[in-house]
C-alpha cells in the first residue's frame, strides 16, 4: 500500500479535534499579529504618524498573514501547525496528496474569508452600529452552516472542503 492510498484510508478527523486545532492556530496567529502590529505602531509613533496603523489596513494585514500561514501549512506539511499538534492533516480528498496552492487559498477563503471581511466592519469609527451587527450575525450563521455540513457528512467534509476537494483526516499512529 502506498503512502497516497494510506492517506485516503485514514478516518475523517473528529470535529472536536479540528476545533481545538483552529484554536491553537488562532493563538499562534494572534501572537504573530500582536507582535507585528506592536512593531508597526511603535514605528508609527516614533515617526509621529499614527494614521499608518489604520484599522482597515490591520484587518487586511491579518487576513494576508492568516492566508499565508494556512496555505503554507496545507501545501508543505498537509497541516497547519495546530493540526500537526492534534495529529490531523488536510489533504486532497481524491488522492491524499497535499493541497495545491490554489486549493489551499480557496479553502482559506471559504473557511476564514467571511471573518476576515467582517473584521473590516467591527470598529465603530469605520462603519459600526447596525451594519456591523448584521455582518457579524451573517458570519456566525455561515460558521454554523459550515459546522452543520461537516457534522452531517460521513467523511466530515464541510461545505468549504467540498468546494475545493479537501478532507481533514487523522494521521496514522
Amino acid at each position: 500500500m502506498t503512502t497516497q492510498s494510506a492517506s485516503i484510508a485514514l478516518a475523517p478527523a473528529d470535529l472536536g479535534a479540528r476545533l481545538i486545532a483552529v484554536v491553537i492556530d488562532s493563538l499562534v496567529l494572534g501572537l504573530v499579529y500582536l507582535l507585528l502590529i506592536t512593531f508597526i505602531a511603535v514605528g508609527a509613533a516614533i515617526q509621529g504618524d499614527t494614521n499608518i496603523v489604520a484599522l482597515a489596513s490591520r484587518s487586511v494585514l491579518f487576513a494576508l498573514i492568516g492566508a499565508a500561514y494556512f496555505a503554507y501549512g496545507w501545501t508543505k506539511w498537509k497541516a497547519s501547525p495546530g493540526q500537526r499538534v492534534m495529529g490531523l492533516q488536510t489533504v486532497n480528498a481524491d488522492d491524499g496528496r497535499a493541497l495545491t496552492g490554489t486549493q489551499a487559498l480557496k479553502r482559506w477563503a471559504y473557511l476564514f474569508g467571511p471573518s476576515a471581511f467582517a473584521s473590516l466592519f467591527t470598529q465603530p469609527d469605520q462603519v459600526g452600529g447596525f451594519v456591523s451587527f448584521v455582518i457579524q450575525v451573517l458570519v456566525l450563521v455561515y460558521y454554523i452552516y459550515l459546522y452543520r455540513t461537516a457534522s452531517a457528512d460521513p467523511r466530515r467534509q464541510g461545505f468549504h472542503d467540498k468546494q475545493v476537494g479537501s478532507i481533514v483526516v487523522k494521521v496514522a499512529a
Side-chain angles (χ1 to χ4, degrees), residues 77 94 140:
W77 303 319
D94 292 334
L140 177 62

Side-chain angles (χ1 to χ4, degrees), residues 89-153:
Q89 290 184 338
T90 299
V91 297
N92 187 307
D94 292 334
D95 59 16
R97 295 179 190 249
L99 299 183
T100 65
T102 301
Q103 279 179 303
L105 289 174
K106 282 183 180 179
R107 187 174 195 274
W108 180 89
Y110 277 106
L111 193 54
F112 299 110
S115 61
F117 174 75
S119 72
L120 296 171
F121 302 98
T122 58
Q123 303 301 322
D125 55 338
Q126 289 177 325
V127 174
F130 183 71
V131 173
S132 177
F133 174 75
V134 169
I135 291 170
Q136 295 298 327
V137 168
L138 290 174
V139 170
L140 177 62
V141 168
Y142 177 72
Y143 284 119
I144 291 170
Y145 172 72
L146 291 184
Y147 176 81
R148 300 270 299 154
T149 57
S151 64
D153 187 80

Side-chain angles (χ1 to χ4, degrees), residues 1-166:
M1 179 179 277
T2 67
T3 304
Q4 290 175 1
S5 59
S7 295
I8 294 172
L10 292 174
D14 296 329
L15 295 180
R18 290 171 69 169
L19 180 60
I20 293 169
V22 168
V23 169
I24 292 168
D25 288 324
S26 297
L27 292 171
V28 171
L29 277 171
L31 180 61
V32 168
Y33 176 68
L34 179 64
L35 293 172
L36 185 59
I37 289 302
T38 301
F39 178 73
I40 291 171
V42 168
I46 290 171
Q47 294 179 1
D49 182 9
T50 57
N51 291 330
I52 198 169
V53 193
L55 298 171
S57 5
R58 287 191 279 175
S59 294
V60 170
L61 178 64
F62 191 61
L64 292 173
I65 291 169
Y69 174 91
F70 283 101
Y72 183 83
W74 292 333
T75 58
K76 300 301 178 198
W77 303 319
K78 296 184 179 181
S80 68
Q83 288 176 319
R84 292 177 77 180
V85 168
M86 296 304 297
L88 307 176
Q89 290 184 338
T90 299
V91 297
N92 187 307
D94 292 334
D95 59 16
R97 295 179 190 249
L99 299 183
T100 65
T102 301
Q103 279 179 303
L105 289 174
K106 282 183 180 179
R107 187 174 195 274
W108 180 89
Y110 277 106
L111 193 54
F112 299 110
S115 61
F117 174 75
S119 72
L120 296 171
F121 302 98
T122 58
Q123 303 301 322
D125 55 338
Q126 289 177 325
V127 174
F130 183 71
V131 173
S132 177
F133 174 75
V134 169
I135 291 170
Q136 295 298 327
V137 168
L138 290 174
V139 170
L140 177 62
V141 168
Y142 177 72
Y143 284 119
I144 291 170
Y145 172 72
L146 291 184
Y147 176 81
R148 300 270 299 154
T149 57
S151 64
D153 187 80
R155 294 178 72 192
R156 298 293 180 244
Q157 287 179 288
F159 172 78
H160 57 292
D161 288 311
K162 290 184 179 184
Q163 297 308 304
V164 299
S166 64

